[in-house]
Amino acid sequence: MQDIRVSFQQLFNSSASLVVQSPGRINLIGEHTDYNNGFVLPAAIDKCVQVAIAKRTDGAIHMHAIDLQESLIVPAVAIQPHATSWVNYIIGIVAQVQKYVVTAANVPAVNSNLTTTNCDTGSILHELDNGFDICLQGDIPIGAGLSSSAAVECAVIFALNEMYQLGLTRMQMALMTQQSEHEFAGVKCGIMDMFASLHGKSNQVMLLDCGSLQHSYYPLDLKDYQIVLFDTQIKHALASSEYNTRRLECEQGVGILQQKYPSIKTLRDASKQQVEQCLAPNNNLDKNAISDKVYQRCKYVVDEIERVQLAVKDLLAGDIKAFGQKMFETHEGLSKLYEVSCPELDILVNVVKDNPHVLGARMMGGGFGGCTINIIKKSEVQAIINTVADIYAQQTAHTLKVHQVKIAQGTHIK
Ligand code: GLA
């Protein structure tokens, strides 16, 4: 990537006051568990988004996406979702920040961070309304399931937090960013992507409990093995609508479980036995009350939440083979029960499944395209890439892309 400060100077004829870098993420295991209050095991990667920013005084937000060579100007007040997606990742965050500052002004006790810094909420709002210049660039492949959009949102909120001295914690930023994605991108995503981007640490994976948001870090020691991502280079259009549908199906399942077990608030609280008892079609007395789909979705999620916890034990015990095996199981569940895979992803997993040098492989992220994550013996990586690329080209008429990523630091000032 070129020096973003130079680009900023050329674009806006002034100096950037701040540059922030925010990474994409991988997820080793724990897919579609985050919005069910389960566990995930993500890590930030060495592919990132950078934003350069400086205040304006005329009430406009001037935005430029360097990689897309697109610019847009919107007023800084009364912000509404825009037709252009990358624009929403910026202005959606501005809307969240404005909402936060207004709430802090009205209910100071609730928003202690802002008030303890003794900042004057009125003057912050005034400054926010004055707008800013911002440009962004990045090397996270878009639509590959590496959370490029969350990286933009995290970079933007981090930059605004710095520039206006809002005193937000990384935790607050993650929650506000998730809210922005819900309201401005229309995807009812969980917290994993933004949390990983903001909280990542070099060489460490994080076990995040998406219910309590407690998290712990573990070094990722894969010994003679490494992570390789195989990119289908496909993004199916139904990804976000199907994502929201899965979330609803899980909620439907919870609703049924609750009738018998009122203490169940999310699928995190449900046991495998309870799912079988209340949701399995054969055991369900009222056949019309529930579809097989809801049962399958809930079964997958409850299995996966348990699988992540077992997988972390494998990792701590140094048993990467057992860990990898669980990745294959996850893929099976995502493909057959949760139905968020696609033929291209299934081909990529099937090709490596019986290869003794591949310990684990599965689709990663929301699904319907994007990447598989593989744990491959270092000495065999090139040979396996060649084989997989050939088979993928033959069976799909698409070209395989390969990403070899390192685990890197979370959002920071450059
Ligand atoms: C997307 C969402 C995340 C998570 C994954 C699936 O990446 O943004 O919140 O739900 O899908 O695990």
Side-chain angles (χ1 to χ4, degrees), residues 25 27 30-35 147 189-193 243 365-366:
R25 64 103 189 91
N27 182 27
E31 220 64 88
H32 287 273
T33 47
D34 59 353
Y35 53 86
S147 298
C189 66
I191 190 84
M192 169 170 72
D193 304 345
Y243 185 94

Side-chain angles (χ1 to χ4, degrees), residues 72-137:
L72 206 102
I73 302 173
V74 298
V77 289
I79 290 170
Q80 293 299 321
H82 196 271
T84 312
S85 55
W86 68 265
V87 170
N88 283 324
Y89 303 139
I90 300 173
I91 61 174
I93 294 295
V94 177
Q96 290 302 316
V97 167
Q98 288 174 342
K99 207 174 0 177
Y100 170 80
V101 178
V102 169
T103 314
N106 294 334
V107 201
V110 178
N111 293 284
S112 51
N113 284 321
L114 199 55
T115 48
T116 50
T117 55
N118 281 331
C119 46
D120 169 1
T121 48
S123 71
I124 293 180
L125 266 184
H126 180 68
E127 282 203 48
L128 271 168
D129 290 352
N130 273 335
F132 55 85
D133 291 324
I134 188 167
C135 64
L136 65 144
Q137 65 178 5

Side-chain angles (χ1 to χ4, degrees), residues 29-321:
I29 197 157
E31 220 64 88
H32 287 273
T33 47
D34 59 353
Y35 53 86
N36 288 299
N37 276 7
F39 294 96
V40 291
L41 195 67
I45 55 172
D46 60 346
K47 292 189 181 296
C48 65
V49 165
Q50 290 179 341
V51 303
I53 194 166
K55 290 177 188 170
R56 294 183 66 89
T57 52
D58 62 354
I61 301 175
H62 287 225
M63 297 167 274
H64 183 84
I66 294 171
D67 307 315
L68 303 174
Q69 295 186 15
E70 282 175 28
S71 292
L72 206 102
I73 302 173
V74 298
V77 289
I79 290 170
Q80 293 299 321
H82 196 271
T84 312
S85 55
W86 68 265
V87 170
N88 283 324
Y89 303 139
I90 300 173
I91 61 174
I93 294 295
V94 177
Q96 290 302 316
V97 167
Q98 288 174 342
K99 207 174 0 177
Y100 170 80
V101 178
V102 169
T103 314
N106 294 334
V107 201
V110 178
N111 293 284
S112 51
N113 284 321
L114 199 55
T115 48
T116 50
T117 55
N118 281 331
C119 46
D120 169 1
T121 48
S123 71
I124 293 180
L125 266 184
H126 180 68
E127 282 203 48
L128 271 168
D129 290 352
N130 273 335
F132 55 85
D133 291 324
I134 188 167
C135 64
L136 65 144
Q137 65 178 5
D139 62 359
I140 308 173
I142 294 171
L146 299 176
S147 298
S148 56
S149 58
V152 174
E153 291 159 334
C154 292
V156 171
I157 200 162
F158 202 93
L160 296 180
N161 187 44
E162 273 304 307
M163 195 161 75
Y164 299 110
Q165 292 290 297
L166 303 173
L168 295 169
T169 62
R170 284 179 192 254
M171 190 74 89
Q172 284 175 305
M173 288 191 250
L175 290 164
M176 288 164 71
T177 307
Q178 181 191 17
Q179 201 54 39
S180 168
E181 184 87 18
H182 287 196
E183 290 174 19
F184 276 68
V187 182
K188 298 279 183 194
C189 66
I191 190 84
M192 169 170 72
D193 304 345
M194 31 291 284
F195 200 95
S197 187
L198 283 158
H199 290 86
K201 288 192 179 169
S202 301
N203 301 320
Q204 314 220 29
V205 291
M206 68 182 86
L207 174 65
L208 169 64
D209 176 338
C210 300
S212 66
L213 297 184
Q214 279 180 357
H215 54 291
S216 36
Y217 295 91
Y218 299 101
L220 185 65
D221 178 10
L222 296 178
K223 298 174 187 144
D224 295 339
Y225 291 82
Q226 72 176 78
I227 288 171
V228 181
L229 306 176
F230 290 145
D231 188 343
T232 57
Q233 299 231 64
I234 286 174
K235 178 89 189 155
H236 289 288
L238 42 72
S240 44
S241 63
E242 285 294 317
Y243 185 94
N244 291 344
T245 306
R246 292 301 173 281
R247 195 172 175 146
L248 281 175
E249 287 166 337
C250 292
E251 285 165 11
Q252 249 181 295
V254 169
I256 296 164
L257 285 158
Q258 265 173 355
Q259 291 168 15
K260 190 161 175 62
Y261 299 103
S263 64
I264 294 179
K265 300 282 180 267
T266 67
L267 286 179
R268 166 71 175 279
D269 311 321
S271 69
K272 290 182 177 193
Q273 292 75 11
Q274 288 167 331
V275 168
E276 290 304 319
Q277 185 190 24
C278 301
L279 303 179
N282 292 341
N283 298 343
N284 187 31
L285 298 177
D286 179 1
K287 294 273 186 257
N288 298 322
I290 172 168
S291 75
D292 288 10
K293 296 274 175 237
V294 171
Y295 163 64
Q296 287 173 22
R297 309 307 190 223
C298 295
K299 178 173 165 40
Y300 162 76
V301 170
V302 172
D303 285 352
E304 179 74 351
I305 291 174
E306 181 188 77
R307 200 155 35 227
V308 180
Q309 297 170 82
L310 296 173
V312 170
K313 288 193 181 137
D314 293 338
L315 207 59
L316 291 178
D319 192 347
I320 330 168
K321 203 163 174 203

